[in-house]
Amino acid sequence: MNKGIIAKVAVALCACVVAGMLAACSMGPAASASSKSPEQLNRAYMSQVNESMTKLQDSLGQFTDAVSRGDVVSMRTEADNAYKVLDELAAIEAPEDMADIREQYLKGTTAMREALDAYIQLYTEASAAGSSYSWSDHENRVKKVQSLYDDAVKQLKDADAAVAGAAGASSASSK
């Protein structure tokens, strides 16, 4: 093939790509979001939720490690990291048909925040009291706080299960 023809084809392709990019930019996010199907919007929402849940799992693992060592400073740091992820999760906009599931995630994030706060409060009190702390009551208090934490985890898992149920129902109805 002639080098001149190849050059003209390359220039034409570049022009098409640039034109396409400019058209996409001028459409903006609202236009591209409205052109997505409900299934695409649901998948995009769940993709963001899954990313946040993975980050949350990492933060909670670090928090649990700090609790096992009784390290209040690290607990606070890891709780702050988890709070950021919980805020990210709460800020994700859900499509209309995922609103109920989003509410379940919000309840779980609120419960998780309360559980982390309760752990920090308990261990801060124990650290500040030193030898005057009532260690005989400590085990019962830890069980109560652990129950809050377990309930928060269950709420988040229930939201995940609701997504799985909704996905199964929508795939069954589309057959």
Side-chain angles (χ1 to χ4, degrees):
M1 206 187 276
N2 186 336
K3 288 183 183 181
I5 295 174
I6 293 174
K8 287 179 185 178
V9 170
V11 169
L13 285 174
C14 287
C16 288
V17 169
V18 170
M21 290 171 65
L22 289 174
C25 288
S26 67
M27 286 181 4
S32 63
S34 65
S35 66
K36 291 184 178 180
S37 71
E39 292 81 14
Q40 289 171 319
L41 293 172
N42 291 349
R43 280 193 297 271
Y45 171 71
M46 287 313 305
S47 176
Q48 290 176 314
V49 167
N50 287 335
E51 185 177 321
S52 291
M53 293 299 283
T54 299
K55 289 180 192 176
L56 181 61
Q57 187 176 3
D58 292 343
S59 292
L60 294 178
Q62 296 296 321
F63 181 83
T64 301
D65 183 53
V67 169
S68 69
R69 292 176 300 169
D71 183 349
V72 178
V73 173
S74 292
M75 287 170 61
R76 169 53 61 193
T77 300
E78 296 308 328
D80 288 343
N81 291 336
Y83 296 153
K84 289 176 190 172
V85 177
L86 292 171
D87 290 342
E88 286 175 15
L89 183 60
I92 300 171
E93 294 292 326
E96 186 177 318
D97 54 342
M98 299 288 277
D100 291 342
I101 291 170
R102 181 178 185 273
E103 286 303 314
Q104 290 180 346
Y105 279 114
L106 291 177
K107 287 178 184 177
T109 61
T110 300
M112 182 57 71
R113 189 179 295 274
E114 290 170 3
L116 296 176
D117 286 343
Y119 261 117
I120 292 169
Q121 180 181 359
L122 174 64
Y123 280 87
T124 300
E125 286 176 20
S127 178
S131 62
S132 65
Y133 183 73
S134 173
W135 289 102
S136 61
D137 190 39
H138 183 75
E139 187 175 330
N140 289 332
R141 291 182 70 191
V142 168
K143 285 181 183 178
K144 287 180 184 176
V145 173
Q146 183 63 43
S147 178
L148 288 173
Y149 182 88
D150 292 342
D151 183 52
V153 169
K154 182 183 180 311
Q155 287 183 40
L156 291 169
K157 285 183 177 182
D158 287 349
D160 285 342
V163 170
S170 70
S171 67
S173 66
S174 65
K175 289 184 179 179

